[in-house]
Amino acid sequence: MRINALTIAGTDPSGGAGIQADLKAFSALEAYGASVMTALVAQNTRGVQSVYRIEPSFVSAQLSSVLDDVRIDTAKIGMLAESDIVHTVADALERYDIPFVVLDTVMVAKSGDPLLAPEAVEAIRRRLLPIVSLITPNLPEAAALLECAQAASEREMLEQGEALLAMGCKAVLMKGGHLSESESPDWLITPQGSQRFTAPRVATRHTHGTGCTLSAALAALRPRCDDWPQAVEAAKAYLQGALVAADSLEVGGGIGPVHHFYRWW
Ligand code: PXL
């Protein structure tokens, strides 16, 4: 079966994050990629220089163009920039039936630059959490969604994942990369139970776009998997390979991208 995957996200003209990363991950994982832009981001491996938000009515026009014509089997949502865009995307998700929707709860770029207006967190909580299939918060994002302190241990990670489930999420992948441990454990929390996933930290500084890549990989892989645990296992293995090969790329002078096509070249 052919998989058509859609990303709804911001851009990275340097090619390592956002829509560009998502389309590379979709392609590497044998899904056809479609994309709807929420913001044009002037950024590179050194940081974000400027953000140009797309008019919500034009985000809506793009969504209709794709969804009125192309069968979308799975989707990933990344940077949403502001609450009006959150509402626009939620309206489209309610109108069209997409079997799997992964929401990467993007708030701040690795450089520290904001990618979401603070007041939009409430719109995400109210409109998107109840209708998407999986959310993939890191620890600061989970804390912002819950309005609580950032988890400092795996036990607190698990508790916060369960609190997000209680808020109406169908499944939560809590990413433990911000824990100060040599492993970076992730916890998948679903109504069926909780599962721990670990991977050794990869010794590279080139981690630009890892969050985007993981959520895109989850969306691309889920239709061919039986359940989320299987998709998380496969997506993490793909990202691990892309991180291990990141140093072989020659992109920019800052935090470089991961190598999406490490299986080929
Ligand atoms: O990974 C967060 C993220 C999402 N979307 C865009 C980004 C980034 C991080 O750099 O640039 C467009």
Side-chain angles (χ1 to χ4, degrees):
M1 177 202 173
R2 298 288 186 194
I3 305 291
N4 294 336
L6 170 65
T7 169
I8 303 168
T11 62
D12 174 4
S14 74
I19 288 213
Q20 284 79 357
D22 297 340
L23 291 174
K24 290 176 191 183
F26 288 167
S27 305
L29 295 166
E30 298 176 22
Y32 174 85
S35 58
V36 164
M37 292 175 197
T38 56
L40 307 182
V41 184
Q43 63 169 317
N44 53 31
T45 64
R46 298 167 197 266
V48 173
Q49 289 80 46
S50 184
V51 174
Y52 184 90
R53 292 169 188 183
I54 306 293
E55 197 61 46
S57 63
F58 192 74
V59 174
S60 179
Q62 293 177 77
L63 286 163
S64 299
S65 294
V66 177
L67 293 164
D68 285 341
D69 183 40
V70 182
R71 183 198 77 237
I72 294 297
D73 303 301
T74 186
K76 167 253 159 90
I77 303 172
M79 175 182 181
L80 291 167
E82 62 181 17
S83 57
D84 285 351
I85 298 179
V86 175
H87 289 295
T88 299
V89 170
D91 289 344
L93 294 181
E94 285 168 359
R95 209 163 52 245
Y96 299 90
D97 194 26
I98 303 175
F100 304 105
V101 180
V102 178
L103 171 64
D104 186 16
T105 48
V106 173
M107 295 181 191
V108 180
K110 219 156 250 128
S111 52
D113 298 275
L115 298 174
L116 184 75
E119 68 272 14
V121 175
E122 175 57 20
I124 288 183
R125 222 181 264 130
R126 206 157 37 81
R127 295 290 313 277
L128 286 179
L129 296 194
I131 58 175
V132 302
S133 320
L134 173 73
I135 67 169
T136 62
N138 61 27
L139 300 186
E141 291 160 0
L145 289 168
L146 291 164
E147 295 181 294
C148 69
Q150 187 176 319
S153 66
E154 283 195 63
R155 190 180 50 79
E156 288 177 3
M157 263 176 82
L158 196 53
E159 284 169 4
Q160 292 194 7
E162 282 163 0
L164 286 165
L165 215 56
M167 273 173 66
C169 296
K170 296 190 184 74
V172 181
L173 182 65
M174 293 284 290
K175 298 182 294 190
H178 286 75
L179 287 180
S180 52
E181 293 169 14
S182 58
E183 290 180 318
S184 55
D186 297 339
W187 277 91
L188 175 68
I189 296 115
T190 71
Q192 286 76 45
S194 304
Q195 198 168 325
R196 184 178 194 265
F197 296 84
T198 57
R201 277 187 201 272
V202 178
T204 178
R205 61 192 289 260
H206 299 311
T207 57
H208 182 62
T210 48
C212 308
T213 299
L214 180 69
S215 58
L218 285 163
L221 291 162
R222 179 62 185 86
R224 285 197 248 259
C225 292
D226 294 333
D227 53 20
W228 282 116
Q230 212 180 83
V232 170
E233 194 73 57
K236 280 184 67 86
Y238 168 70
L239 179 60
Q240 186 79 5
L243 276 163
V244 166
D247 287 356
S248 72
L249 295 177
E250 300 170 356
V251 182
I255 309 287
V258 303
H259 188 353
H260 292 93
F261 293 100
Y262 68 93
R263 288 170 179 168
W264 288 269
W265 50 274

